[in-house]
Amino acid sequence: QVQLQESGPGLVKPSETLSLTCTVSGGSISSYYWSWIRQPPGKGLEWIGYIYYSGSTNYNPSLKSRVTISVDTSKNQFSLKLSSVTAADTAVYYCAREYSGYDSSATRGDYYYYYMDVWGKGTTVTVSS
Amino acid sequence: DIQMTQSPSSLSASVGDRVTITCQASQDISNYLNWYQQKPGKAPKLLIYDASNLETGVPSRFSGSGSGTDFTFTISSLQPEDIATYYCQQYDNLPRLLTFGGGTKVEIK
């Protein structure tokens, strides 16, 4: 089955750029959305952004100015760059696959639905000098 | 931006109890609401998608309901292995932006 694995430095200095890669194994990166989510220590989940395999992206407005997500279909990987990091960016970073389905009902008409069905185990990134 | 208010933030219940968690959206999100379970040190796991659909392989004691702005997640008979934090997650459309609720930590009394 599809598995995701995050990789990258576990320690980043303040004001530098955090860079992580998610490698997709057991399946193709095509035809799905791919998200990054983070979780600061002892806190809840925060969506960072996603990329479609074709390259289109959407980002959390609160992080948009600092985030870039890219995809490399030849390597079955997608990546996260977060610039100008501070201690507040210290977190466990997860990558996840987002499945999209299509349905139709009398009340809702035609619609797509989405959910994150496959997650990586997460990687801890600490921002500290 | 759509805000998600999840309550309670924590609860304690006995094995066999019915447990209910609510999520309220700041505006109508139709049925675009998912529920996840996260155990300590682990990645979240999808339980319910599109408000009320049970993910394959998830026990039937878990259920979800609601539409518009008000949603409910229920564990019909709490089991020891259900100890976890549960999150709701919504998505806008056009552009599709995602937001998680604050989480509900479920403990055994």
Side-chain angles (χ1 to χ4, degrees):
Chain A
Q1 74 276 21
V2 175
Q3 293 184 315
L4 308 182
Q5 178 67 59
E6 304 91 349
S7 59
L11 181 63
V12 181
K13 289 182 168 53
S15 80
E16 295 190 344
T17 295
L18 178 160
S19 295
L20 296 174
T21 295
C22 184
T23 300
V24 180
S25 59
S28 173
I29 203 166
S30 297
S31 304
Y32 289 97
Y33 291 86
W34 303 92
S35 271
W36 287 99
I37 304 98
R38 70 180 184 179
Q39 185 170 36
K43 295 188 177 182
L45 301 167
E46 180 181 34
W47 173 70
I48 299 170
Y50 64 70
I51 189 164
Y52 193 46
Y53 76 101
S54 62
S56 62
T57 57
N58 258 325
Y59 301 135
N60 186 324
S62 69
L63 298 170
K64 188 174 184 177
S65 63
R66 299 194 291 131
V67 173
T68 302
I69 298 176
S70 58
V71 65
D72 186 336
T73 54
S74 67
K75 295 183 178 179
N76 242 25
Q77 293 176 335
F78 62 106
S79 299
L80 168 70
K81 290 188 185 302
L82 181 65
S83 64
S84 305
V85 297
T86 69
D89 296 309
T90 293
V92 176
Y93 285 75
Y94 295 99
C95 58
R97 185 182 79 171
E98 197 171 14
Y99 174 86
S100 65
Y102 173 83
D103 207 343
S104 181
S105 74
T107 53
R108 297 171 68 183
D110 299 336
Y111 63 95
Y112 285 90
Y113 55 88
Y114 303 83
Y115 53 81
M116 289 178 278
D117 64 339
V118 182
W119 293 66
K121 293 183 178 181
T123 188
T124 299
V125 178
T126 301
V127 178
S128 175
S129 55
Chain B
D1 299 355
I2 296 178
Q3 306 302 316
M4 301 301 294
T5 303
Q6 186 174 341
S7 61
S9 57
S10 66
L11 66 88
S12 182
S14 300
V15 172
D17 280 356
R18 183 181 186 87
V19 168
T20 299
I21 298 167
T22 64
C23 235
Q24 185 171 58
S26 58
Q27 64 189 68
D28 189 338
I29 58 169
S30 184
N31 287 42
Y32 300 138
L33 193 284
N34 304 319
W35 292 95
Y36 299 86
Q37 175 194 65
Q38 186 181 33
K39 296 184 176 180
K42 299 294 186 181
K45 173 188 174 183
L46 175 72
L47 299 181
I48 302 287
Y49 66 92
D50 203 41
S52 61
N53 294 284
L54 193 67
E55 170 68 336
T56 302
V58 172
S60 59
R61 64 180 181 275
F62 297 102
S63 65
S65 64
S67 68
T69 59
D70 296 305
F71 301 85
T72 300
F73 172 80
T74 300
I75 307 173
S76 61
S77 177
L78 186 67
Q79 299 301 305
E81 60 266 33
D82 300 337
I83 300 314
T85 300
Y86 294 84
Y87 294 92
C88 62
Q89 173 251 312
Q90 71 83 30
Y91 48 95
D92 288 346
N93 265 323
L94 304 174
R96 193 167 60 81
L97 305 177
L98 283 63
T99 310
F100 287 93
T104 298
K105 186 174 184 179
V106 174
E107 298 176 320
I108 295 285
K109 194 181 292 183

